[in-house]
Amino acid sequence: MGKPLINVAILGAGRIAHHMAETLVKMAADPRYSTLVAPYAVAARDGDRARAFADQYGFPVSYGSYEELVADPNVDLVYIATPHSLHAEQGKLCVEAGKAALVEKSFAANATQARDLLNAAESAGVLVTEAIWTRYMPSRAMIDEIVDAGLIGEVKSVSADLSYPVSFKARMTDPALAGGALLDVGVYPLNFIDMVMRGRTPERVASTFVPYETGVDASSSTTLVYGDGTMAVATSSMLTVGDRLGLIRGSEGYVTCENINNVERVDIWNKDHKLVASREVPEQLTGYEYEVASAARALLDGRTECPEMPHADTLRIMELMDSIRALWGVKFPFE
């Protein structure tokens, strides 16, 4: 077996960083990925915290600043695991140091930030891609195949929900941190719909929301209408437990996707509401391995974007979320 080709570093040491560290350790032990990527380094603003994190997962290197991390010549790919209000500046930090970046969703706080970062990446010829794991998972192709096979006839309606009671987290409720349910959990229903609709831009968008006491969105419902009359509804909340269900409705039947945040099963139902077929999703290490592998391969191929989440897709979703917030009249203090 050869040496792993891509050294992966994690910027940030919060909850999602732990999930990624666990993923990288599992990938390093898996013959499918062990020659592709290696867990290499972690950086936090606190050196002791970074060292404890590195020790926990057996990462060889840790840093007490992000600047030191991106200056390390052995770092190939940086996973940005901080709140989305920081993604643009930290993404720029990576790009300016010539480091590829896998940026946790939401890619940025707004489309202006996203555009600036993507333009910088493209000018520098550096890979930058959004880490929205559902775009990279095998379930995506499975859902596309079912729709393309015409098993439910012509698709005319889509709906998706993702809601978790997470209003106790400061990053969710603080406007200065680009808080609110939309950018954190609401981004998944919108991406689910966008994937089913193959990236088409809706002709009309209507949306309503319930504000949290800090002014950010606590719960919302958004209706998207497409040129061919297909209607889609995305709901999200940080106050409730949601069903996480994705529904694709056609003229001959419908498809249910269990947990749009990490699809576990895809069921096909006919006109009489009888289950026609059911497809299980392949077993995964954690689910994050697909985005890491895609970014690593794109980096080896000298590309600046990943085929599963090209820059145009990231921008379209950011612009859509901006337009939804504009309908609500919700602005972040830094905008």
Side-chain angles (χ1 to χ4, degrees), residues 181-328:
L182 179 67
L183 266 67
D184 195 81
V185 291
V187 66
Y188 285 107
L190 293 174
N191 269 280
F192 179 86
I193 290 164
D194 189 73
M195 286 188 277
V196 173
M197 296 306 297
R198 309 297 166 91
R200 285 157 53 202
T201 301
E203 285 197 349
R204 295 205 312 279
V205 179
S207 188
T208 188
F209 85 118
V210 176
Y212 194 71
E213 60 206 33
T214 57
V216 301
D217 62 297
S219 305
S220 70
S221 176
T222 297
T223 303
L224 312 169
V225 180
Y226 292 84
D228 65 351
T230 300
M231 194 154 124
V233 178
T235 51
S236 62
S237 176
M238 62 176 172
L239 305 178
T240 65
V241 179
D243 56 27
R244 310 182 305 182
L245 198 63
L247 264 167
I248 307 164
R249 305 177 192 87
S251 51
E252 304 296 321
Y254 55 97
V255 171
T256 54
C257 302
E258 200 68 51
N259 184 11
I260 61 157
N261 188 31
N262 180 2
V263 175
E264 291 148 27
R265 202 177 69 252
V266 183
D267 290 334
I268 306 158
W269 307 78
N270 68 12
K271 275 182 170 169
D272 303 317
H273 307 280
K274 299 276 189 298
L275 184 62
V276 181
S278 186
R279 294 189 62 183
E280 295 283 334
V281 171
E283 204 174 315
Q284 55 194 29
L285 300 179
T286 64
Y288 294 99
E289 66 266 28
Y290 305 112
E291 64 188 24
V292 176
S294 173
R297 290 181 186 122
L299 184 52
L300 292 171
D301 291 344
R303 286 176 291 167
T304 56
E305 53 189 344
C306 286
E308 296 88 347
M309 191 59 170
H311 294 169
D313 288 16
T314 287
L315 264 181
R316 188 175 56 257
I317 297 291
M318 289 307 315
E319 285 166 354
L320 176 59
M321 292 196 295
D322 279 6
S323 70
I324 290 167
R325 285 193 300 116
L327 290 169
W328 302 339

Side-chain angles (χ1 to χ4, degrees), residues 131-151:
I132 177 147
W133 64 342
T134 51
R135 290 266 181 175
Y136 301 82
M137 288 172 165
S139 55
R140 177 182 182 177
M142 285 169 49
I143 294 163
D144 285 351
E145 280 162 23
I146 289 164
V147 170
D148 290 347
L151 299 176

